[in-house]
Amino acid sequence: MTTVTFQLNWEPNGFQAPYFLARARGYYEDEGLDVQFVEGHGSPFAAEEAARGRADVGLAGASAVLAKQSEGFEPIAIAAVTKKTPAAVYTLRDVFGEPLEEPAQLAGLTVAPSATKTRILAAQFLEDAGVRDEVELLDVDPNTHHRVQHKLLDGSVDAAVGVVTNGMELEREHDRTADELPIGEYLGVYGMTLVTNAEFANENAGTVRGFLRATARGWAAATEDLDAAVDALIERNATLERRRWIETRKFEAAANDLQLTEHVREDGWGAHRAERWRRLGSMLSETDLLDGSIDPDSVWTNAFLDREAEIVRGYADRIDRAV
């Protein structure tokens, strides 16, 4: 068995369910891999750990990969796992006054983002909709997510920016109707990626390909059997049992809305397209998030995807049949 350290972006949650299911069902073992999961402290941390070689593979958002490149690191994204960003604008119906259905409705209102990267995506989303100058997009509160939700709950802001499922979680917790507007439906940029460093990938090409094949199997199996995927997640962290409903919804949103796209149907599981990386790079370059220059074309590769493997090439067909 070859040991592979896998640096997660955060503590176990529904968005990570496929990886836990892949391990529970022995998909990594089938590839001769002993995958050791390491809980994380955010996407930038995971991208840096992988770039430094402190972890063999990391799970990180595409914007974090580019941000780390701007700091002088050399992360390399080996799979674009979710084809859309998970960022979303969400609100409560009794605060907003009507169903939130399109970005133009945000004109003249105040929107509070929970993180710097989601603020950047929201700004571009509003710019593309032609209403950026009409929206008060607040700076990020250092107390982040929960403070933003309190502002929304007490009506001091009209909407918030977080990730898909934040709205439905508020709805369930407070018995107040919520609406979400997924930014990924409007911006053609990647969400989560699997990242490593070139030295590890080149010296262990077979290991990397096997890891990606097994991970694709995990995503397919989790999409086909949500309960089994969440069971595998809870086996790692039993405290999530009380949050089973929302963790299930998180993965369901990731699988059906963020991953299963025409991009996947045309290119297969995990494949990158240059224009999506260039678009994200252009957006980030217009902000103060980057510490230096970036080259979006050099931060990703399809070289380690086994495009001949049915689970990679025919991923969308399998999922379409299952659902």
Side-chain angles (χ1 to χ4, degrees):
M1 285 287 176
T2 299
T3 299
V4 174
T5 53
F6 182 28
Q7 177 65 63
L8 302 176
N9 57 332
W10 290 112
E11 296 177 356
N13 62 75
F15 292 121
Q16 301 168 353
Y19 310 101
F20 290 99
L21 186 62
R23 189 172 66 173
R25 290 194 170 175
Y27 299 158
Y28 292 120
E29 188 175 354
D30 290 347
E31 297 285 352
L33 306 178
D34 174 20
V35 178
Q36 299 181 355
F37 290 51
V38 182
E39 294 182 13
H41 307 284
S43 282
F45 176 82
E48 183 173 333
E49 289 294 283
R52 286 180 178 271
R54 294 174 178 169
D56 298 323
V57 182
L59 178 64
S63 58
V65 176
L66 286 171
K68 284 299 168 181
Q69 187 189 52
S70 79
E71 295 176 17
F73 296 102
E74 297 182 350
I76 184 76
I78 49 175
V81 179
T82 49
K83 305 304 186 184
K84 301 176 184 177
T85 173
V89 178
Y90 63 100
T91 189
L92 296 168
R93 189 80 57 84
D94 56 11
V95 171
F96 199 72
E98 61 181 347
L100 175 59
E101 298 175 335
E102 58 183 37
Q105 292 173 268
L106 296 166
L109 302 181
T110 300
V111 178
S114 61
T116 300
K117 294 181 181 64
T118 55
R119 187 185 190 280
I120 291 167
L121 294 171
Q124 187 65 51
F125 161 76
L126 295 169
E127 183 72 30
D128 290 354
V131 296
R132 174 65 187 91
D133 292 340
E134 302 174 61
V135 176
E136 184 182 4
L137 185 62
L138 300 180
D139 291 333
V140 176
D141 189 312
N143 294 300
T144 63
H145 180 64
H146 294 295
R147 179 67 65 85
V148 165
Q149 292 200 339
H150 287 315
K151 289 179 178 178
L152 183 57
L153 286 165
D154 67 19
S156 58
V157 299
D158 300 296
V161 188
V163 298
V164 292
T165 73
N166 282 164
M168 64 176 71
E169 190 168 6
L170 276 187
E171 180 172 285
R172 186 177 180 90
E173 289 179 358
H174 299 278
D175 194 27
R176 296 166 66 179
T177 300
D179 295 297
E180 294 181 349
L181 200 57
I183 292 176
E185 295 297 320
Y186 298 84
L187 297 185
V189 297
Y190 289 123
M192 299 307 298
T193 71
L194 291 170
V195 60
T196 185
N197 61 81
E199 181 178 359
F200 177 81
N202 291 329
E203 293 180 359
N204 302 275
T207 294
V208 174
R209 289 192 181 93
F211 180 88
L212 294 181
R213 280 193 300 266
T215 299
R217 289 178 69 190
W219 269 90
T223 305
E224 293 164 348
D225 191 343
L226 292 174
D227 288 338
V230 177
D231 284 344
L233 176 68
I234 291 172
E235 185 176 344
R236 170 64 181 251
N237 185 349
T239 63
L240 293 178
E241 178 61 52
R242 60 185 175 83
R243 291 175 50 84
R244 172 179 284 270
W245 178 85
I246 191 60
E247 301 305 336
T248 301
R249 298 286 80 76
K250 285 179 182 178
F251 175 65
E252 192 172 35
N256 296 332
D257 300 329
L258 306 180
Q259 184 187 77
L260 191 56
T261 62
E262 286 305 310
H263 183 351
V264 172
R265 291 186 174 92
E266 293 170 4
D267 298 344
W269 182 89
H272 305 267
R273 287 181 177 176
E275 66 267 21
R276 285 181 170 253
W277 280 103
R278 292 169 185 167
R279 186 178 299 119
L280 180 59
S282 177
M283 288 167 48
L284 295 178
S285 295
E286 295 176 4
T287 72
D288 58 2
L289 179 66
L290 302 179
D291 287 351
S293 61
I294 58 171
D295 177 9
D297 289 337
S298 69
V299 81
W300 62 272
T301 180
N302 287 327
F304 300 99
L305 276 174
D306 185 356
R307 308 291 282 273
E308 299 304 312
E310 178 59 27
I311 191 59
V312 174
R313 184 184 69 253
Y315 180 87
D317 288 339
R318 171 173 168 174
I319 298 306
D320 282 337
R321 288 194 297 270
V323 300

